[in-house]
Amino acid sequence: MKKICVIGVGYVGLVNGAGISDFGHKVICADIDKKKIENIKKGDLPIFEPGLKELIDRNVKSNRLLFSSDIGETIKKSDIVFIAVGTPEGDSGKADLSHVYDVALKIAKNLNNYKIICTKSTVPIGTGKEIKGIINNNKSNSIKFDYVSNPEFLREGSAVKDFLWPDRVVIGCDSNKVFKSMIEVYQPLFRNKKPIIQTEISTAEMVKYASNAFLALKISYINEIANLSEVLGCDVKMVADLIGQDGRISPKFLHPGPGYGGSCFPKDTKALVNLAKQANVPIKTITAAIDANIYQKKRMFMKLKTLLKEKIKGKTISILGLSFKPNTSDIRESSAIDIISSILKAGGHVRAFDPIANNSMKKIFPNIEYFSNWEKTVSNSDCAVIMTEWNEFRSLDLIELKDRLKTPILFDTRNIFDQRKLLELGFSFDTVGRKKNIKY
Ligand code: UGA
């Protein structure tokens, strides 16, 4: 059993802290936000993440998981310190590392015995060196520490599952001794034969950016193929299925849609472009992926306008799904924001519903109407738009949807409905990259 702390209780810190305590270690999750810590202690979590509450409750009960807002004391009590604070987008797309630097300084001031300092936050290549420098320059003793880059690959909405069953664990460090200690942290995974791989620190930092940017690129690629398929009369769903059967391509992350969102892809792609610019190395593919995503978000409104015969003014449009993906209340960079804002600018009215993200969206659009279920939302609307592929929309009763709408017009930006059924029921509809007049 190791004594571990995780600094920062965002979704990365909270899931990691709870997950590592579940592996049998003693973990303190700490944050400077006292209110947040108090709320968590009362059982009120700052994020919605399936399975997280149960994981936290179980480990709090077993006394393996504690919460604190005293960062200094927490660091002193720990042998391994995980840095899991946010690295939001800063000026010109560069990652803002101020929170990471603050934590590094606190570590330096509270270095009371040998520790492993491990960064989970997504940080630009070279940050490890900077963190080491900050600690070395600010500690007032000769106590030693080692540094590890251990990037996370958790997806919101399935973060607990991804933590407990990862594809790989990447440990960037300078010595085998440190690597062995980190293997002990992740011991249960090792026993389950999950690969735990040692790399250099800078390589581990790059793996994170390169993974996210590649996935963003894959989505932008299939979105562009979808747009071309629309014009040329092909069905992108079938194209994606069939290219995905090539083992070199794989079917994952080939779902066309309204453009990627979230707190990671938009920020990390821009940060990678920024790094490449600084290094004076062209990275045209990622720049193109970013541009394609901006266009994809705009294109959704253009398609909606076409579906409504260019008349948005005075129309009531129901938006079903507000979060950037299902199973999360996170609306950061969600395509729903772009489409709602364009509808409002064009003089349309918006009725909105998300199973859990209504409150988050209210902070951005306080004056649109929010509902507690899809049925009430679509009633008497001129059109319904699916923006997030929540399961409850997948199984929605299309006959009832048609009855409730003023006019049976549907825009399915996530391609969740059977087009034949929509045609049979007499919907006027649009999708992303699919053929409407199916003949087979
Ligand atoms: C992403 C990565 O998938 C994680 O591996 C990584 O750890 C995380 O960022 C991070 O850096 O913290 P996340 O942003 O939670 O995870 O969500 P994803 O499932 O990757 O989806 C991102 C966006 O892409 C969503 O808007 C989703 O709707 C969209 N998407 C995804 C598509 O449009 N099509 C697809 O085929 C897949």
Side-chain angles (χ1 to χ4, degrees):
M1 186 206 69
K2 292 193 177 293
K3 284 189 274 173
I4 293 173
C5 73
V6 180
I7 312 294
V9 293
Y11 104 99
V12 173
L14 214 45
V15 174
N16 275 282
I20 292 171
S21 66
D22 208 52
F23 288 167
H25 304 292
K26 192 113 185 156
V27 178
I28 309 177
C29 287
D31 200 293
I32 44 169
D33 187 336
K34 285 191 180 138
K35 182 107 192 78
K36 216 176 190 183
I37 293 293
E38 283 318 308
N39 286 343
I40 296 174
K41 280 183 181 168
K42 283 185 225 147
D44 184 6
L45 301 187
I47 51 162
F48 171 80
E49 193 58 49
L52 183 59
K53 180 128 184 44
E54 294 79 353
L55 192 71
I56 290 178
D57 288 350
R58 185 164 73 230
N59 288 288
V60 166
K61 253 192 204 149
S62 318
N63 229 4
R64 280 193 301 264
L65 181 61
L66 300 169
F67 295 94
S68 168
S69 51
D70 188 338
I71 309 273
E73 272 311 299
T74 301
I75 292 169
K76 279 185 188 150
K77 285 180 190 160
S78 309
D79 299 327
I80 301 181
V81 180
F82 279 91
I83 305 176
V85 290
T87 53
E89 192 182 319
D91 294 340
S92 59
K94 206 173 160 195
D96 173 356
L97 296 177
S98 50
H99 300 305
V100 172
Y101 296 152
D102 284 350
V103 177
L105 208 55
K106 285 199 177 110
I107 293 171
K109 303 274 181 223
N110 293 283
L111 197 69
N112 57 337
N113 56 4
Y114 167 80
K115 296 182 199 298
I116 292 178
I117 313 303
C118 175
T119 299
K120 270 274 161 206
S121 308
T122 301
V123 293
I125 296 93
T127 306
K129 255 193 206 152
E130 288 186 67
I131 296 176
K132 281 200 270 183
I134 294 175
I135 302 176
N136 275 324
N137 295 336
N138 290 282
K139 66 188 176 87
S140 54
N141 50 38
S142 57
I143 293 170
K144 292 211 163 23
F145 69 94
D146 276 301
Y147 182 81
V148 171
S149 165
N150 174 210
E152 58 87 14
F153 303 102
L154 311 176
R155 289 163 300 171
E156 286 190 37
S158 53
V160 171
K161 189 175 138 271
D162 288 348
F163 181 86
L164 297 172
W165 291 278
D167 289 333
R168 76 298 203 195
V169 175
V170 178
I171 308 288
C173 62
D174 290 331
S175 79
N176 287 339
K177 184 190 103 201
V178 181
F179 181 56
K180 273 190 194 135
S181 292
M182 291 306 291
I183 284 185
E184 280 162 27
V185 173
Y186 291 109
Q187 192 64 41
L189 298 179
F190 201 57
R191 269 193 234 115
N192 290 344
K193 303 220 170 2
K194 292 292 171 195
I196 303 183
I197 300 125
Q198 183 181 359
T199 69
E200 284 179 349
I201 292 168
S202 58
T203 303
E205 290 169 339
M206 179 56 109
V207 170
K208 170 66 190 196
Y209 277 104
S211 297
N212 272 5
F214 181 77
L215 292 171
L217 180 65
K218 204 171 173 188
I219 298 167
S220 277
Y221 172 75
I222 201 64
N223 281 341
E224 288 201 318
I225 294 294
N227 299 343
L228 189 59
S229 296
E230 276 170 14
V231 177
L232 302 183
C234 328
D235 183 344
V236 74
K237 228 176 162 182
M238 207 154 252
V239 173
D241 278 356
L242 294 173
I243 62 173
Q245 282 180 29
D246 183 326
R248 292 169 301 175
I249 297 173
S250 122
K252 291 182 183 165
F253 275 69
L254 274 185
H255 303 288
Y260 60 77
S263 65
C264 306
F265 290 171
K267 159 177 89 72
D268 294 348
T269 43
K270 282 189 224 160
L272 188 61
V273 167
N274 191 281
L275 277 167
K277 211 168 156 188
Q278 278 173 19
N280 210 9
V281 175
I283 191 150
K284 291 180 187 168
T285 48
I286 305 307
T287 309
I290 296 170
D291 291 345
N293 198 53
I294 294 169
Y295 173 72
Q296 193 67 7
K297 289 181 172 183
K298 283 193 190 134
R299 187 176 167 94
M300 294 305 108
F301 181 63
M302 283 150 50
K303 281 162 72 66
L304 177 68
K305 250 174 43 183
T306 308
L307 190 61
L308 289 171
K309 305 202 163 42
E310 303 300 320
K311 286 185 203 123
I312 299 285
K313 198 166 179 194
K315 289 270 159 70
T316 301
I317 296 155
S318 288
I319 304 293
L320 300 181
L322 302 171
S323 53
F324 80 98
K325 62 186 267 187
N327 293 322
T328 174
S329 58
D330 196 341
I331 55 150
R332 282 176 286 177
E333 306 267 347
S334 169
S335 304
I337 299 175
D338 297 74
I339 205 160
I340 292 173
S341 149
S342 301
I343 294 169
L344 296 177
K345 256 189 220 142
H349 306 293
V350 174
R351 292 161 74 87
F353 165 64
D354 187 282
I356 57 172
N358 279 1
N359 283 339
S360 314
M361 199 57 108
K362 273 182 198 163
K363 290 178 194 147
I364 299 185
F365 298 110
N367 298 326
I368 63 173
E369 287 183 273
Y370 293 90
F371 295 87
S372 55
N373 59 44
W374 72 264
E375 290 90 338
K376 283 188 204 152
T377 318
V378 300
S379 294
N380 265 323
S381 295
D382 293 292
C383 169
V385 183
I386 301 286
M387 288 304 294
T388 318
E389 69 279 32
W390 283 93
N391 272 344
E392 65 176 89
F393 300 151
R394 288 181 188 277
S395 54
L396 156 166
D397 180 346
L398 288 171
I399 298 175
E400 186 176 349
L401 175 65
K402 189 183 170 194
D403 287 348
R404 286 181 177 268
L405 284 165
K406 212 188 309 174
T407 42
I409 304 178
L410 175 67
F411 183 16
D412 176 10
T413 73
R414 296 287 185 169
N415 295 340
I416 60 174
F417 296 120
D418 179 345
Q419 295 192 99
R420 284 189 200 83
K421 224 173 182 173
L422 293 174
L423 280 174
E424 263 168 41
L425 291 171
F427 272 97
S428 164
F429 68 93
D430 199 4
T431 58
V432 174
R434 307 200 67 193
K435 207 167 154 183
K436 276 184 247 173
N437 49 347
I438 315 138
K439 296 182 194 77
Y440 47 90

